[in-house]
Amino acid sequence: MKVVLAEKPSVARDLASFLGATARRDGFFEGGGYQVTWAFGHLVELKEPGDYDPALKRWTLESLPFVPKEFQLRLRGDDGAKKQFAVIKRLFREATSLICATDAGREGELIFRYIQSLTGCTNKPAQRLWLSSLTPTAIGAAFRTIRPLSDYDNLYAAAKCRSQADWIVGINATRNYTVRYRSTSDRGASGLLWSLGRVQTPVLAMITRRDDEIRTFQSEPFWELMTRYRDVQFRYTGKRFDKQENAQSVLEVASKHELTIRKIQSRAEKSQPPQLYDLTELQRDMNRRFGISAAETLATAQSLYESKLITYPRTDSAYLSKDMRKDIPGVMRQLRSIKANEIDQLNLAALPFTSRIINDAKVTDHHAIIPTGASAGVLRGREQQIYDAIVVRFIAAFYPPCEKEITTVDATAGEVAFRARGVRVVAPGWTQLYPRKAKSGEANDEQQSLPDFKNGESGKHEPFIKSGQTSPPKHFTENTLLGAMDTAGKLVDEAELKEALKEKGLGTPATRAATIETLLNRKYIIRDKKNVLATDLGRYLVAIVRDRNLTSPELTGEWEAKLKKIEAGQLSPDVFMHEIADYTRAIIQSSAAVSVDQQIYGPCPRCGENVIAGKRAFGCSGWRKGCKFVLQPSYRDADLSMDQVRELLQLRVTNHPLTLHDGHPFLLAMSESGMLIEIPVPQGSEQDVGGTATDRKRSKRKSGAKKSAATKSSRKKQSKAKKETNSAATEIGVCPLCGSPVVEQTKSYACSRWREGCGLTIWKTISGKKISVSNARKLLRSGETAVLKGFKSKAGKSFDAKLKLIDGKVRFEF
């Protein structure tokens, strides 16, 4: 008997159907010489410190760092996991061979190998099934190219090293900072969890730096010289002015002369169609267009994948492989039922398979996200939005470029040079699939239509001055934050690390949404409409972390470069893990003894030159080169000690809080621009449901804006949802999607891991009928209810039906 292990029940069902294993058993399918079973994601995990030694359940500095000599595994604690693991263990031990059919990639490999290890079946013959789609054609192709599991040993070694290294650094750093900063008398408030990790902490640091840059930004006025001629707006070609009188003097010179056209140039420009989606680009696009969170996009895409409507979503590739060329026209033909007009403009017999679409070298674990062509039926809400976006992007990739004619007109008024620019769309190409509505106030002088100017013509013109203000950078949204995580290599100087982050970025496409949700759940960041802002709690955490590797992308860059070598068999996993243990010891030591160099003041935060003492203040020694940094020896009428000055310049934050006239203690920090910033010391209740009023007030104050009614409403809804989960957590069954407990809430029965993206929800009222706890339990246990009476259609007519649970969605069966 061959036993196939899938990562989720829905995938197991598709595999079983393909293999003819149609007999349903308790926890698996059987037939045709196969038994097909499933995990609920990470069924098996690394043991906690207290599992190795009960004394380690108590968090103390004396027990750190804790690095197991040999890592041990344990079963996830919920009842659903225990029950399903017992099924898997029995099947594995009775099997003649095993087939790994978990998700194709590092994490899927880890899930299977950890289960295989805990069941004691590592010596059984085993093979690896590599799936990118769940259509019968794709499953058949995967079985025809099935390979020995041992071919993926290096992939497993890299996955295991990543898992263990994250555990070592995360647990030791979190315990270290939580214990070290729990004293209410000095450094912080008790009861707070200071959670650190190699991905989440650099991401938090990026957000806090951006917020601090905005907070300390000093807007400056500027003036631009413009002129209007034949209803066309021309712009002065010199720099904009920082003084109005300078702009006025040039305007007076220009106004004495007619405007003369000196040169007219036209050139053609092509805008290439967008590339296919990888997961990060899909998440960014959905957040930009519809405000959908990264976690919700991933959960919805996973649901569409399990419904066989799209290919595997957790991919970091925007390309297809050469062998897929033959399948694409067929997919297009199947999509005609929903996008006939769009597809009819393509020649399916001669699709343009450019290098922007086909590139084997850039398809590693999985290819780009594309539709499978399967009939979608009726989709609603987020599912419809995301599916439609994937379909349109797929079609657009094969459309011709958008062709534009860009005309530049140079003119002078005396010796004052002006330029006008106009853009005319010659052939819309792919842009016709994305009709764009101009926003109010969006028009600019590049979108204007130009008349038929003649070289040498001249005439009267109307010069004028346009004033403006420099503006700070924008707050991160989930869209721009995902982009920054994806391109984190730009923040790293060393070439090898930059290259590693170029390929992987901070985190993986599949984990970035969970990283953002973790920071939200820890109350280190908040959502404010589309913006993602750091709270005072998050700012305080970044301030107290002394090891800069923990707040920069470089650590992840180092790890990814080495994990890639492990995957390629070029680096020993043991060497990597020894380095991780040494690094963890350094984290503990660096936070235990923070000192400053008493021989210097420190480097200038703006240019890096040494800071020197002047008669009244401290300034940059590079002032002759134009650096204007100055640090006053006092803050809010309180003198700064020499130790505090050195701490600000060398550590960028004071070691101990200051307490001034209003009595609220705060750390004083220095931004990269050299401005001083207050970071309030936490009070201890910030991680309670909803946070404290003080924390909410301070978090909002940092953005320099008043709370809007919409923001207040949003926070009330979030607080209500969290209270609902915490207060009404009566377990009624096991989630068929992830194996976690399903709990009764005020309006629904939902998976307890909804914050992590699991979308299972059974509403308490469906089509006017109340769904009892017993019916919800039956739906979870057997996948369907008996025929229920009393439903009402939208037209008000009563009807009877069964409820069925299909891929986590409740459907009617008549």
Side-chain angles (χ1 to χ4, degrees):
M1 182 69 71
K2 291 184 177 181
V3 174
V4 182
L5 178 70
E7 197 163 312
K8 289 188 175 183
S10 57
V11 179
R13 185 165 52 249
D14 292 332
L15 294 173
S17 176
F18 177 85
L19 295 169
T22 54
R24 176 68 187 257
R25 311 294 186 210
D26 188 9
F28 66 100
F29 298 93
E30 188 172 33
Y34 289 92
Q35 291 172 328
V36 183
T37 187
W38 57 85
F40 294 124
H42 286 272
L43 275 185
V44 176
E45 59 192 14
L46 296 174
K47 283 186 175 180
E48 291 291 308
D51 297 325
Y52 294 92
D53 181 354
L56 292 175
K57 289 181 179 179
R58 184 169 176 266
W59 292 22
T60 64
L61 294 177
E62 292 74 27
S63 63
L64 301 178
F66 173 66
V67 181
K69 290 182 180 179
E70 186 175 338
F71 274 91
Q72 298 175 20
L73 301 172
R74 71 176 190 182
L75 184 60
R76 208 173 72 204
D78 55 275
D79 292 340
K82 291 175 182 176
K83 180 182 177 183
Q84 187 61 21
F85 181 77
V87 172
I88 296 170
K89 184 176 180 180
R90 178 174 61 80
L91 296 179
F92 270 28
R93 290 191 170 180
E94 294 174 355
T96 54
S97 65
L98 308 176
I99 295 177
C100 170
T102 49
D103 288 353
R106 258 192 217 162
E107 289 309 296
E109 197 71 22
L110 193 70
I111 287 170
F112 179 83
R113 300 287 188 120
Y114 274 0
I115 291 173
Q116 185 188 30
S117 180
L118 197 59
T119 57
C121 294
T122 53
N123 293 323
K124 293 250 182 184
Q127 294 173 293
R128 185 37 152 136
L129 192 70
W130 202 260
L131 285 166
S132 287
S133 174
L134 293 176
T135 61
T137 301
I139 294 172
F143 270 104
R144 286 192 297 274
T145 56
I146 197 166
R147 291 163 60 183
L149 185 68
S150 57
D151 285 3
Y152 297 86
D153 283 350
N154 287 337
L155 178 65
Y156 168 53
K160 185 167 68 168
C161 283
R162 198 280 310 152
S163 171
Q164 294 178 354
D166 273 340
W167 188 98
I168 292 171
V169 173
I171 280 186
N172 282 283
T174 296
R175 287 191 172 201
N176 172 62
Y177 280 95
T178 299
V179 173
R180 201 175 292 280
Y181 286 86
R182 68 184 174 193
S183 168
T184 54
S185 61
D186 182 21
R187 287 180 160 180
S190 61
L192 291 172
L193 173 69
W194 295 116
S195 172
L196 287 90
R198 70 166 176 110
V199 175
Q200 72 178 55
T201 310
V203 171
L204 175 60
M206 283 198 301
I207 299 169
T208 59
R209 280 194 291 267
R210 174 67 60 85
D211 288 355
D212 286 344
E213 191 178 352
I214 295 168
R215 186 182 298 106
T216 59
F217 183 83
Q218 294 181 321
S219 183
E220 296 179 356
F222 64 84
W223 290 265
E224 292 181 287
L225 178 60
M226 319 283 285
T227 194
R228 191 173 290 106
Y229 173 68
R230 290 182 63 183
D231 293 328
V232 173
Q233 191 163 279
F234 286 73
R235 185 182 298 270
Y236 174 56
T237 59
K239 293 181 179 179
R240 61 192 188 187
F241 303 91
D242 54 11
K243 292 183 179 179
Q244 185 174 5
E245 53 268 30
N246 294 343
Q248 186 63 39
S249 64
V250 178
L251 180 146
E252 289 172 1
V253 172
S255 62
K256 295 175 182 178
H257 304 271
E258 289 188 335
L259 190 77
T260 302
I261 304 299
R262 300 295 183 188
K263 186 166 64 174
I264 304 168
Q265 285 184 313
S266 292
R267 62 182 174 86
E269 184 178 277
K270 290 184 178 181
S271 172
Q272 295 297 329
Q275 289 186 275
L276 298 169
Y277 281 126
D278 60 14
L279 176 58
T280 299
E281 178 57 26
L282 176 64
Q283 290 171 316
R284 293 188 64 186
D285 199 28
M286 294 304 94
N287 184 255
R288 179 171 55 240
R289 291 167 59 187
F290 307 117
I292 306 174
S293 73
E296 191 174 358
T297 295
L298 175 56
T300 305
Q302 183 70 24
S303 174
L304 292 170
Y305 167 66
E306 291 170 16
S307 299
K308 307 184 192 64
L309 298 180
I310 64 171
T311 58
Y312 188 70
R314 298 167 189 259
T315 176
D316 60 358
S317 178
Y319 298 87
L320 304 177
S321 55
K322 285 182 182 177
D323 61 354
M324 298 182 67
R325 295 173 64 156
K326 64 183 185 303
D327 301 324
I328 300 304
V331 175
M332 289 284 188
R333 291 186 189 97
Q334 288 177 287
L335 292 173
R336 261 204 179 107
S337 61
I338 56 173
K339 295 290 179 182
N341 292 336
E342 294 85 349
I343 292 173
D344 284 346
Q345 297 186 48
L346 294 172
N347 181 357
L348 299 186
L351 289 172
F353 288 102
T354 67
S355 60
R356 289 171 55 83
I357 301 172
I358 303 292
N359 191 331
D360 282 352
K362 295 190 176 182
V363 178
T364 51
D365 293 347
H366 296 282
H367 57 69
I369 305 170
I370 63 173
T372 62
S375 175
V378 178
L379 297 175
R380 292 184 176 85
R382 298 301 194 211
E383 282 191 339
Q384 181 61 54
Q385 288 175 316
I386 292 173
Y387 178 69
D388 189 65
I390 293 169
V391 170
V392 172
R393 177 67 68 98
F394 175 62
I395 297 169
F398 294 93
Y399 260 58
C402 171
E403 297 179 19
K404 301 175 183 177
E405 182 183 73
I406 299 175
T407 303
T408 304
V409 181
D410 288 306
T412 58
E415 295 184 355
V416 182
F418 291 92
R419 176 173 291 161
R421 192 170 183 266
V423 179
R424 182 172 69 89
V425 175
V426 178
W430 65 269
T431 61
Q432 61 190 289
L433 299 179
Y434 293 91
R436 188 169 179 269
K437 295 180 181 178
K439 298 177 182 177
S440 58
E442 187 184 45
N444 60 55
D445 53 355
E446 289 192 0
Q447 295 175 327
Q448 59 192 331
S449 298
L450 302 182
D452 186 18
F453 286 120
K454 301 295 182 183
N455 211 0
E457 74 170 83
S458 62
K460 291 183 179 181
H461 64 113
E462 304 167 19
F464 62 96
I465 293 171
K466 183 179 178 182
S467 63
Q469 293 272 343
T470 57
S471 56
K474 295 184 182 297
H475 286 290
F476 278 118
T477 62
E478 284 200 43
N479 162 32
T480 56
L481 182 58
L482 287 166
M485 293 168 75
D486 196 36
T487 58
K490 292 180 180 179
L491 307 174
V492 177
D493 296 325
E494 193 175 329
E496 186 181 10
L497 305 188
K498 185 183 285 287
E499 187 62 27
L501 282 172
K502 179 182 176 182
E503 292 195 9
K504 294 292 184 183
L506 270 174
T508 66
T511 61
R512 287 173 190 148
T515 297
I516 295 171
E517 294 301 316
T518 296
L519 293 172
L520 286 163
N521 292 336
R522 297 276 188 255
K523 307 297 176 65
Y524 298 149
I525 62 175
I526 58 170
R527 286 191 182 101
D528 182 7
K529 297 182 180 176
K530 280 192 176 183
N531 292 335
V532 177
L533 311 175
T535 64
D536 287 340
L537 200 65
R539 296 171 61 219
Y540 188 85
L541 174 56
V542 172
I544 64 177
V545 174
R546 301 304 184 206
D547 190 313
R548 291 306 161 201
N549 274 329
L550 278 173
T551 57
S552 81
E554 292 186 14
L555 178 64
T556 284
E558 290 177 3
W559 284 21
E560 288 298 345
K562 290 173 180 175
L563 290 172
K564 189 177 178 184
K565 288 181 178 178
I566 293 171
E567 280 188 29
Q570 298 168 355
L571 178 66
S572 164
D574 291 338
V575 170
F576 176 78
M577 294 309 300
H578 280 305
E579 291 176 358
I580 295 298
D582 290 341
Y583 171 66
T584 304
R585 293 185 190 95
I587 292 175
I588 309 301
Q589 292 165 4
S590 67
S591 57
V594 179
S595 59
V596 295
D597 188 344
Q598 297 294 332
Q599 304 303 311
I600 60 171
Y601 292 112
C604 171
R606 295 186 185 178
C607 71
E609 298 282 348
N610 287 330
V611 171
I612 56 177
K615 291 182 179 179
R616 297 180 180 177
F618 301 90
C620 179
S621 60
W623 60 273
R624 287 189 180 88
K625 300 176 185 176
C627 185
K628 298 179 181 180
F629 170 72
V630 174
L631 173 62
Q632 298 295 334
S634 62
Y635 180 76
R636 285 174 53 187
D637 300 326
D639 292 336
L640 297 175
S641 69
M642 286 300 99
D643 279 343
Q644 289 171 329
V645 168
R646 288 188 170 91
E647 287 166 6
L648 285 169
L649 291 169
Q650 295 178 34
L651 306 177
R652 298 292 177 89
V653 65
T654 55
N655 265 330
H656 301 281
L658 286 70
T659 304
L660 299 182
H661 320 295
D662 58 7
H664 294 296
F666 61 89
L667 293 177
L668 190 61
M670 180 177 285
S671 72
E672 293 180 359
S673 63
M675 302 291 288
L676 296 181
I677 308 166
E678 292 183 20
I679 303 176
V681 173
Q683 304 301 302
S685 57
E686 286 83 356
Q687 286 175 330
D688 295 345
V689 173
T692 64
T694 303
D695 181 68
R696 288 196 297 270
K697 190 174 180 181
R698 285 175 177 163
S699 296
K700 192 60 188 166
R701 186 174 61 201
K702 71 183 183 310
S703 66
K706 294 180 180 179
K707 288 181 182 178
S708 66
T711 303
K712 288 180 182 178
S713 172
S714 173
R715 286 191 183 144
K716 283 179 181 178
K717 288 177 182 176
Q718 289 178 16
S719 176
K720 182 180 178 182
K722 289 172 183 174
K723 286 178 181 176
E724 183 180 85
T725 298
N726 293 335
S727 61
T730 303
E731 186 175 338
I732 67 161
V734 176
C735 175
L737 297 180
C738 70
S740 300
V742 174
V743 295
E744 181 179 1
Q745 299 182 347
T746 305
K747 295 182 178 180
S748 66
Y749 311 99
C751 179
S752 57
R753 296 178 72 180
W754 62 270
R755 289 192 193 92
E756 298 167 44
C758 186
L760 178 87
T761 302
I762 303 170
W763 296 106
K764 286 189 171 179
T765 302
I766 299 176
S767 294
K769 178 175 177 59
K770 291 184 178 179
I771 308 303
S772 66
V773 174
S774 60
N775 277 323
R777 284 198 179 107
K778 188 169 185 181
L779 195 55
L780 290 168
R781 186 171 59 249
S782 60
E784 63 178 312
T785 65
V787 175
L788 303 179
K789 297 182 178 181
F791 293 107
K792 283 198 173 180
S793 68
K794 290 181 180 179
K797 294 182 179 179
S798 296
F799 66 91
D800 304 339
K802 285 184 179 181
L803 293 181
K804 294 197 76 169
L805 199 57
I806 302 172
D807 296 335
K809 306 293 183 184
V810 179
R811 310 289 191 200
F812 287 116
E813 183 176 272
F814 299 97

